[in-house]
C-alpha cells in the first residue's frame, strides 16, 4: 500500500513555498524603497509592501535589511521594476510585473513560459488599455448578506467607488490615491481585508473552459513560480472553484 508524503517532505515543500513568497516580498520592499524614501511613514508604496510582508509573518529584521538594501546602504545589486504585456491561451490578456537585477534573464523566462503555453509577448500598451489601475480590497463573506451590507456601508462611507459581490467575496474598489485612506477606515470599522493593494483590474472578463482553462492555469502557475515575477494580472473569468 502506497504511503503519502512524509511529514518532513511536506515541511520542506512548505518551507520552499514560504521562501519563494519571501523572495518576492523582499524585492518589492527593495524597489519601493528605491522609488521613494526608506521610511514607510513617508513612502506609501513602501508602507504597503511592509504591511504585506508582516502579514506573511516576515521578521522585522528581514524587512529592515530589505529597506537597507533598497536605500543602497549595503551596495546591493540594482533592482529594476518591469512590466510585460502579452496574451495567453484563448487570447486572454496578461500584464506581468517583475522586479529583477537581470532584465535579459527575466524577459527570456517570461517569453518561454508564454510560448510554451500557447501565448506570446506583446508590445508595451498592447493590452494595458483593457485594465484600470485601482485600489482593491477583498473580503471573504461566504455570501453572508449581513456582512456584505456592512462592507458596502463602510466602504461607501470611506470614500470607495464601488463594491462587487461575487463568488462569496466582497471586493471594494477605489482610486489608487485613496487606497490607504479607504483601507484605514475599513480597519477602523473592524473590517480586515484578506487581500489588499493597488492592482490592474480588467475592464471586462472573458470566460474560459476546457483545455484553454487548463493551459491558462498551468501558465499562471508557471509565471508565479518565477522568482522575478511579482504580480500577474489577467482578464479571464475563472470558475468559482479556481478563481482564488
Amino acid at each position: 500500500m502506497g504511503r503519502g508524503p512524509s511529514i518532513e517532505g511536506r515541511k520542506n515543500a512548505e518551507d520552499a513555498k514560504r521562501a519563494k513568497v519571501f523572495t518576492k516580498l523582499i524585492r518589492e520592499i527593495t524597489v519601493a524603497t528605491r522609488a521613494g524614501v526608506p521610511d514607510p511613514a513617508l513612502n506609501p508604496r513602501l508602507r504597503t509592501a511592509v504591511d504585506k510582508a508582516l502579514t506573511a509573518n516576515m521578521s522585522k529584521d528581514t524587512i529592515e535589511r530589505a529597506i537597507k538594501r533598497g536605500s543602497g546602504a549595503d551596495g546591493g545589486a540594482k533592482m529594476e521594476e518591469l512590466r510585460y504585456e502579452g496574451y495567453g491561451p484563448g487570447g486572454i490578456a496578461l500584464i506581468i510585473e517583475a522586479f529583477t537585477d537581470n532584465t535579459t534573464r527575466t524577459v527570456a523566462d517570461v517569453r518561454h513560459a508564454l510560448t510554451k503555453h500557447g501565448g506570446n509577448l506583446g508590445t508595451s500598451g498592447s493590452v494595458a488599455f483593457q485594465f484600470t489601475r485601482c485600489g482593491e480590497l477583498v473580503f471573504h463573506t461566504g455570501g453572508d448578506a449581513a456582512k456584505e451590507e456592512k462592507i458596502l456601508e463602510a466602504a461607501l462611507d470611506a470614500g470607495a467607488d464601488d463594491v462587487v459581490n461575487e463568488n462569496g467575496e466582497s471586493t471594494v474598489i477605489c482610486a489608487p490615491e485613496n487606497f490607504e485612506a479607504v483601507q484605514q477606515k475599513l480597519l477602523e470599522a473592524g473590517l480586515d481585508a484578506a487581500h489588499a493593494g493597488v492592482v490592474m483590474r480588467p475592464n471586462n472578463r472573458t470566460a474560459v473552459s476546457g483545455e484553454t482553462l487548463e493551459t491558462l492555469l498551468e501558465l499562471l502557475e508557471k509565471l508565479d513560480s518565477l522568482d522575478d515575477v511579482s504580480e500577474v494580472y489577467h482578464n479571464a473569468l475563472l470558475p468559482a472553484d479556481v478563481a482564488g
Side-chain angles (χ1 to χ4, degrees), residues 12 22 24 37 52-53 56 63 69 78 88 90 100 120 131 152 170-171 177-179 201 203 230:
N12 289 341
F22 275 21
K24 292 175 183 287
V37 295
K52 285 170 66 176
I63 292 171
R69 181 184 182 193
K78 179 174 174 54
T100 183
N120 62 278
F131 295 78
L152 176 62
S170 287
T171 301
E177 61 271 20
N178 295 337
F179 170 72
R201 185 177 176 86
N203 301 327
S230 57

Side-chain angles (χ1 to χ4, degrees), residues 66 133 144 149 157-158 173 184 192-193 198 233 236 238:
R133 187 169 179 268
D144 183 331
E149 184 66 22
D157 185 55
I173 301 167
Q184 184 58 40
D192 191 4
V198 176
Y233 303 108
L238 301 177

Side-chain angles (χ1 to χ4, degrees), residues 18 21-22 24-26 28-29 46-60 62-64 66:
R18 178 185 173 90
V21 169
F22 275 21
K24 292 175 183 287
L25 288 170
I26 287 169
E28 189 170 343
I29 290 170
L46 175 58
R47 184 159 60 247
T48 298
V50 169
D51 286 345
K52 285 170 66 176
L54 290 171
T55 300
N57 295 318
M58 182 181 290
S59 73
K60 290 185 178 180
T62 301
I63 292 171
E64 287 172 4

